[in-house]
């Protein structure tokens, strides 16, 4: 399962600069509002140092990391839900992403205009929050006539309508759909609305270069991930060795992409297992708590349907004993069945029959 993240924010907060740096995909980054007209989409590898360690053991033909898709849309402004600016036209492009990253301007640069006249992280984040909630209210209002007709069919449809009506009141009070409590039978109807404020949200504080290794002032009760888009732009042009040296000089242990990916995985309850062989070493993304057949299904649906067992070694054992053969020799290659809960870093080989 590829992780998909929508990037939102006011104009000129560094969204497109950050997107370009993270994806190395030359998206337009300019010093004027609404520089991003068409949505930019980039798919990038999720950094994971364990892949190279595994590759050094099995010497595969290729290394295939997990990936994350970033979708960057035009900046939102106050009144976007009512047609102000351009961002509202492109909200549909992030309705099916797994999470939303809001880039908030913390950097100071008199040469980069701010749509509100000055940067104020708390005010700016509240503007985006309000616009997403208002956009969701519009979605709910458009859906209600259809749901009212469907409610006549039976109890399940009527329950869905009642949930959406409660949600409408909730949104009208300025609260995100993410915090709305719904019963299990109501959730399919709510999921079908693809509400923006229902998505897990991460804040990125786009800071000046000299603040890249510091902590940013919290937004409400949330501490943002500190990333300098300027720093990320610079390391995108460097060799891996140069990038490590530069990050170390700034007091950073990892790139912004790595920290953002780790935060997104944690927020969404995801982790990785590995497959390793002569053809490839690959990382696969699964939810925490996924059992062995579900993990097999991420590779191919036939693997899950015909699952028999999984040969499994922990990452630590696989490295310590030099691969599958070494683990087998010392009894550290386990045979796991359908109820096995896959652990982060497990190296797995599936047996199946269809």
């Amino acid at each position: 399962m590829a992780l998909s993240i929508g990037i939102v924010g006011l104009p000129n907060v560094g969204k497109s600069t950050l997107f370009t740096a993270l994806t190395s995909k030359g998206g337009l980054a300019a010093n004027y509002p609404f520089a991003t007209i068409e949505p930019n989409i980039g798919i990038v590898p999720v950094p994971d140092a364990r892949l190279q360690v595994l590759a050094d053991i099995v010497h595969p033909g290729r290394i295939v990391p997990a990936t994350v898709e970033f979708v960057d849309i035009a900046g939102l402004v106050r009144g976007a839900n009512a047609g102000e600016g351009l961002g509202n036209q492109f909200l549909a492009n992030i309705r099916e992403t797994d999470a939303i990253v809001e880039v908030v301007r913390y950097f100071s640069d008199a040469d980069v205009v701010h749509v509100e006249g000055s940067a104020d992280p708390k005010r700016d984040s509240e503007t985006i929050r309000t616009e997403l909630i208002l956009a969701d209210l519009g979605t709910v209002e458009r859906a209600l006539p259809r749901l009212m007709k469907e409610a006549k069919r039976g109890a399940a449809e009527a329950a869905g309508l009642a949930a959406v009506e409660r949600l409408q009141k909730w949104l009208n009070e300025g609260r995100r759909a993410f915090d709305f409590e719904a019963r299990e039978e109501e959730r399919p109807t709510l999921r079908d609305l693809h509400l923006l404020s229902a998505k897990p949200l991460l804040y990125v504080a786009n800071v000046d270069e000299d603040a890249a290794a510091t902590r940013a002032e919290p937004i409400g009760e949330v501490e943002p991930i500190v990333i300098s888009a300027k720093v990320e732009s610079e390391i995108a042009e460097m060799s891996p060795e140069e990038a490590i040296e530069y990050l170390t000089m700034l007091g950073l242990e990892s790139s912004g992409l790595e920290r953002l990916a780790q935060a997104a995985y944690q927020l969404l309850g995801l982790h990785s297992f590995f497959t390793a062989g002569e053809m490839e070493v690959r990382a696969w993304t699964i939810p925490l708590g996924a059992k062995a057949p579900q993990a097999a299904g991420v590779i191919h649906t036939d693997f899950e349907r015909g699952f028999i067992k999984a040969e499994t070694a922990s990452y630590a054992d696989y490295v310590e004993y030099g691969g599958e053969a070494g683990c087998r020799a010392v009894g550290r290659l386990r045979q796991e069945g359908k109820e096995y809960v896959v652990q982060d870093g497990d190296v797995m080989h599936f047996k199946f029959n269809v």
Side-chain angles (χ1 to χ4, degrees):
M1 54 183 297
L3 176 62
S4 179
I5 295 176
I7 304 178
V8 302
L10 295 175
N12 277 10
V13 298
K15 287 190 312 88
S16 295
T17 300
L18 181 62
F19 172 87
T20 301
L22 295 181
T23 63
S24 298
K25 184 189 174 177
L28 175 62
N31 179 23
Y32 55 87
F34 315 123
T36 302
I37 302 301
E38 294 297 329
N40 291 315
I41 299 175
I43 298 176
V44 299
V46 175
D48 193 328
R50 296 174 296 182
L51 284 166
Q52 186 59 56
V53 177
L54 294 175
D56 290 341
I57 294 172
V58 301
H59 307 292
R62 60 179 181 173
I63 299 174
V64 184
T67 60
V68 57
E69 177 187 77
F70 290 105
V71 182
D72 175 35
I73 65 168
L76 300 173
V77 296
R78 193 181 304 277
N81 68 93
E84 294 293 328
L86 296 172
N88 194 47
Q89 298 176 30
F90 304 111
L91 286 175
N93 294 97
I94 61 170
R95 286 200 179 277
E96 297 193 23
T97 58
D98 299 302
I100 289 177
V101 165
E102 181 182 335
V103 180
V104 184
R105 178 171 170 172
Y106 280 69
F107 68 88
S108 55
D109 189 336
D111 294 328
V112 179
V113 297
H114 190 285
V115 71
E116 296 277 6
S118 63
D120 181 332
K122 183 177 180 180
R123 179 204 62 208
D124 294 350
S125 63
E126 189 60 34
T127 295
I128 298 299
R129 172 192 174 95
T130 299
E131 293 307 319
L132 295 182
I133 290 173
L134 289 173
D136 284 347
L137 271 170
T139 298
V140 167
E141 288 164 4
R142 289 189 295 272
L144 279 174
R146 170 180 58 82
L147 294 172
M148 289 175 181
K149 291 180 181 178
E150 293 176 355
K152 299 174 183 178
R153 298 178 187 170
E157 290 82 359
L161 171 62
V164 173
E165 289 175 335
R166 294 200 326 272
L167 174 62
Q168 184 181 35
K169 180 180 178 181
W170 179 273
L171 294 170
N172 266 315
E173 293 170 350
R175 295 186 283 186
R176 294 175 63 222
F178 183 82
D179 301 312
F180 180 73
E181 293 185 7
R183 293 185 289 273
E184 187 63 36
E185 65 271 18
E186 298 170 339
R187 290 174 185 165
T189 301
L190 299 179
R191 280 196 298 267
D192 287 346
L193 295 175
H194 299 292
L195 298 177
L196 296 165
S197 70
K199 298 182 184 300
L201 175 66
L202 288 169
Y203 290 108
V204 165
N206 185 12
V207 300
D208 292 304
E209 187 175 11
D210 59 4
T214 65
R215 299 175 71 173
E217 180 183 350
I219 297 174
E221 298 180 356
V222 181
E223 184 169 331
I225 305 162
V226 174
I227 297 178
S228 170
K230 187 174 185 297
V231 169
E232 298 303 313
S233 297
E234 291 170 349
I235 66 173
E237 303 297 325
M238 298 178 181
S239 68
E241 295 75 20
E242 290 172 332
I244 291 173
E245 183 178 347
Y246 182 48
L247 290 170
T248 301
M249 182 185 73
L250 293 173
L252 295 168
E253 296 181 356
S254 57
S255 70
L257 172 60
E258 186 170 353
R259 284 178 280 124
L260 180 56
Q262 289 173 347
Y265 268 54
Q266 183 176 1
L267 180 71
L268 294 168
L270 304 173
H271 63 170
S272 299
F273 75 92
F274 303 109
T275 52
E278 291 183 1
M279 181 178 296
E280 66 179 24
V281 166
R282 181 185 288 250
W284 304 88
T285 302
I286 56 172
L288 292 170
K291 295 183 179 180
Q294 291 175 267
V298 172
I299 299 175
H300 197 287
T301 53
D302 284 349
F303 285 22
E304 181 173 9
R305 184 159 52 91
F307 179 87
I308 299 173
K309 64 180 178 180
E311 291 187 331
T312 308
S314 71
Y315 171 79
D317 285 345
Y318 199 92
V319 173
E320 181 177 354
Y321 299 110
E324 184 176 316
C327 287
R328 192 186 304 275
V330 296
R332 304 297 287 183
L333 187 68
R334 311 185 308 274
Q335 306 294 315
E336 301 287 2
K338 293 182 177 181
E339 295 305 310
Y340 175 68
V341 176
V342 179
Q343 302 300 302
D344 182 57
D346 276 352
V347 185
M348 309 188 76
H349 177 72
F350 297 102
K351 302 288 187 180
F352 69 100
N353 182 29
V354 291

